Amino acid sequence: MESGIERRSGVALWRQIADDIRAAIGNGVYDAAGKLPTEAALAAQFDVNRHTVRQALAALARDGVVRTVQGRGTELLPRARVSYPIGARTRFSAGLGGQVAKAATRFLETATEPASEEVARALALAPQTPVLRLETVGAADGTALSRATHWFDAARFAELPAHCAQSGSITHALKACGVGDYKRLSTEISAAPASRTDREDLGLQAGAVVLLTTSVNADQDGVPIQMSRSRFAADRVTLSVRNAPESGDRDGNGDG
Amino acid sequence: MESGIERRSGVALWRQIADDIRAAIGNGVYDAAGKLPTEAALAAQFDVNRHTVRQALAALARDGVVRTVQGRGTELLPRARVSYPIGARTRFSAGLGGQVAKAATRFLETATEPASEEVARALALAPQTPVLRLETVGAADGTALSRATHWFDAARFAELPAHCAQSGSITHALKACGVGDYKRLSTEISAAPASRTDREDLGLQAGAVVLLTTSVNADQDGVPIQMSRSRFAADRVTLSVRNAPESGDRDGNGDG
DNA sequence: GTTGGTTGTCTATAAAACTATACAAATCAG
DNA sequence: CTGATTTGTATAGTTTTATAGACAACCAAC
């Protein structure tokens, strides 16, 4: 049988199989039965030994995706992902409203540095202008969801770190710095295997995937005030783009 | 030195290291030098044998991320990703305008089936209503970028497949079916390791990552006409959300 | 209780990944 | 040219993955 599993690829067979089964579950392949095929059937399907399948199922069980019972088989468990809205008024805690009991931002580190080329461009500053760098972890109900780095014009937002430490929220700290309201200008979304630091910061296992976003916020006058690079644990978060009834864009045919 | 590399994780050490270096490059860590540290230095940093580092570098070189020359070291190569805009007027070919010479949609398969629960909800149809399913591959300059499944109301869009085959574009085919214009209502974005089928359809290696989007388009009257599930090769595509100056949302604080 | 189908565990073997060490070949600075 | 640095190649040993087969334990249906 066509298996499609790659050997010598740097990813163990059992992990490839686990990823495949996970994707199939996501596509609703097993929704009707509510359970997976037997280990023997999966072994035949992927053309591997049953032990290898068992290792894949054990990994899925560890992650709470399935549960397997001796004599019965392995059944699907209900999954829930937090949906994180991306829009003109994207904000962390408010965006999770209703989905989680407790959203919190933890501030890891603050530093002032000369702006890199990219940061300077995003914030419309001269290169090497001093910028404030803020490292944060966003968590919901005690589980880390995102790890982000934020940059601000150091001259304009010198007081920001103190306010952040006090209020525990960037939005509130910005308000204290005179930015009553702000808007998300753009968000670039990418994805990659979780790096070592991602795994440490977000408590992920090797082989996990992160959603990577680079975004820019602007104040009421349209002046960019904040550039952020965030890494979301992809198995815990979904990014959601909702288009307002009358917003116009100039892009490109739904064939994606 | 703290390495953070996980053994027995189902992902080979060299691949974890390659992913890590790739992420570091993406974060601009090596921009100043324009080249990576020596193999010996990397081996020390990750606390592995130099051979293991070499295998990681070989993988990065295969993917065109770096180039290594005996006696000199390994230098970064310039990278470019296609940016795919997501907005109210998201369309495939137009969205890539200027970035690529030739964008094309290949139609793999067409079928009519009873709507699943999810599809019926998205299209505001009664469950089990017959829906048209379209399987496509989006490519730019001969390289596959996305693999998508589209669903339409079969009654309203019976003629769609014929028009698609003729024009090679869903947008044009919709116009021929009386939908002069349409808008993207929502996009859910997720990410996951590429599954076997993803790798086959998009020509990816094991360990690759896909961006997963589920989106709904509506006609001028706001009636949902199309639901799509797309899988983008994450190392070739970036999704871009740009917010129009005056669109309003109700969500949540940039701390992401 | 019995039967058929399923998961759990054990032992043994083969293959691949990783380590350790040594030295050759290329580049660069002086 | 010379020497220091860096990548390329080779060999051998250890650890981890994957396979193979056999059988026990468990569940559900009859």
Side-chain angles (χ1 to χ4, degrees):
Chain A
M1 178 176 285
E2 246 313 333
S3 70
I5 297 288
E6 280 180 41
R7 284 158 199 268
R8 262 169 276 200
S9 65
V11 182
L13 295 188
W14 63 264
R15 181 167 280 282
Q16 294 186 54
I17 291 168
D19 291 342
D20 222 59
I21 293 174
R22 209 193 221 108
I25 292 173
N27 290 342
V29 173
Y30 304 120
D31 281 2
K35 55 188 287 188
L36 296 184
T38 67
E39 294 176 352
L42 289 170
Q45 176 188 332
F46 290 109
D47 197 20
V48 297
N49 192 275
R50 184 164 75 95
H51 289 114
T52 310
V53 168
R54 281 177 60 71
Q55 209 167 348
L57 294 180
L60 292 175
R62 259 200 314 279
D63 294 353
V65 179
V66 300
R67 184 178 51 177
T68 132
V69 181
Q70 182 173 165
R72 292 210 336 177
T74 108
E75 60 187 356
L76 307 186
L77 293 178
R79 298 173 304 118
R81 267 203 260 218
V82 172
S83 180
Y84 184 84
I86 303 238
R89 293 189 50 74
T90 294
R91 277 140 181 82
F92 182 66
S93 20
L96 304 177
Q99 297 183 70
V100 301
K102 198 159 79 79
T105 302
R106 190 156 55 89
F107 295 87
L108 299 182
E109 187 194 348
T110 306
T112 301
E113 305 169 339
S116 73
E117 231 180 83
E118 187 183 8
V119 170
R121 201 179 327 119
L123 295 180
L125 299 174
Q128 305 294 323
T129 306
V131 289
L132 187 65
R133 177 170 57 81
L134 223 63
E135 304 284 345
T136 67
V137 171
D141 299 335
T143 304
L145 296 184
S146 66
R147 173 71 179 73
T149 305
H150 311 271
W151 289 273
F152 303 85
D153 180 356
R156 180 168 174 191
F157 295 102
E159 305 301 321
L160 196 73
H163 291 302
C164 282
Q166 193 190 335
S167 67
S169 154
I170 293 183
T171 300
H172 291 152
L174 281 173
K175 184 167 285 182
C177 289
V179 179
D181 194 21
Y182 60 88
K183 277 186 296 199
R184 177 71 62 102
L185 283 186
S186 65
T187 309
E188 286 287 322
I189 303 167
S190 171
S195 71
R196 171 187 42 144
T197 39
D198 292 335
R199 295 200 303 269
E200 284 170 4
D201 295 336
L202 298 173
L204 301 174
Q205 300 179 342
V209 168
V210 291
L211 275 163
L212 228 152
T213 70
T214 304
S215 55
V216 178
N217 286 335
D219 65 14
Q220 284 166 306
D221 304 326
V223 177
I225 58 172
Q226 172 184 10
M227 165 175 159
S228 302
R229 221 199 286 277
S230 304
R231 291 174 279 281
F232 293 89
D235 61 344
R236 299 173 192 159
V237 178
T238 285
L239 303 180
S240 170
V241 180
R242 225 154 290 272
N243 292 109
E246 280 310 305
S247 68
D249 291 63
R250 277 173 293 105
D251 42 48
N253 82 28
D255 300 15
Chain B
M1 175 176 284
E2 248 311 332
S3 70
I5 296 288
E6 279 180 41
R7 285 157 199 268
R8 262 167 287 190
S9 67
V11 182
L13 296 186
W14 64 264
R15 180 168 282 281
Q16 294 185 54
I17 292 168
D19 291 341
D20 222 60
I21 294 174
R22 207 195 283 262
I25 292 174
N27 290 343
V29 172
Y30 303 121
D31 280 2
K35 55 188 286 190
L36 296 184
T38 68
E39 295 176 352
L42 288 170
Q45 177 188 333
F46 290 108
D47 196 20
V48 297
N49 193 274
R50 185 163 74 94
H51 289 300
T52 310
V53 168
R54 283 177 59 71
Q55 207 167 350
L57 294 181
L60 292 175
R62 257 200 315 278
D63 293 355
V65 178
V66 300
R67 184 177 52 177
T68 131
V69 180
Q70 181 171 163
R72 293 208 340 177
T74 107
E75 61 187 354
L76 307 186
L77 293 179
R79 274 169 80 50
R81 266 203 262 216
V82 172
S83 180
Y84 183 84
I86 301 231
R89 294 189 50 74
T90 295
R91 278 140 182 80
F92 182 66
S93 18
L96 304 178
Q99 296 184 69
V100 300
K102 197 158 77 77
T105 303
R106 191 156 54 88
F107 294 88
L108 300 181
E109 187 195 348
T110 307
T112 302
E113 304 168 339
S116 73
E117 232 181 83
E118 188 183 8
V119 171
R121 201 180 326 119
L123 295 180
L125 299 173
Q128 305 294 322
T129 305
V131 288
L132 188 65
R133 178 169 56 81
L134 223 63
E135 304 284 345
T136 67
V137 171
D141 301 333
T143 303
L145 297 183
S146 66
R147 173 72 180 72
T149 305
H150 311 272
W151 290 272
F152 303 86
D153 180 357
R156 181 170 175 188
F157 295 101
E159 305 302 319
L160 196 72
H163 291 304
C164 283
Q166 194 192 334
S167 67
S169 154
I170 292 184
T171 300
H172 291 153
L174 281 173
K175 185 167 286 184
C177 289
V179 179
D181 194 21
Y182 61 88
K183 280 187 294 201
R184 177 70 62 103
L185 283 186
S186 65
T187 308
E188 286 288 323
I189 303 166
S190 170
S195 71
R196 169 186 42 142
T197 39
D198 292 334
R199 295 200 304 269
E200 286 170 3
D201 295 336
L202 298 173
L204 301 173
Q205 301 179 342
V209 169
V210 291
L211 276 163
L212 228 152
T213 70
T214 303
S215 56
V216 178
N217 286 336
D219 64 15
Q220 284 166 307
D221 304 326
V223 177
I225 57 172
Q226 172 184 10
M227 166 174 159
S228 302
R229 220 201 286 278
S230 305
R231 290 175 278 279
F232 294 88
D235 61 345
R236 300 176 192 157
V237 179
T238 284
L239 303 180
S240 170
V241 180
R242 226 152 290 273
N243 293 108
E246 279 310 305
S247 69
D249 291 62
R250 273 173 297 105
D251 42 48
N253 77 29
D255 299 16

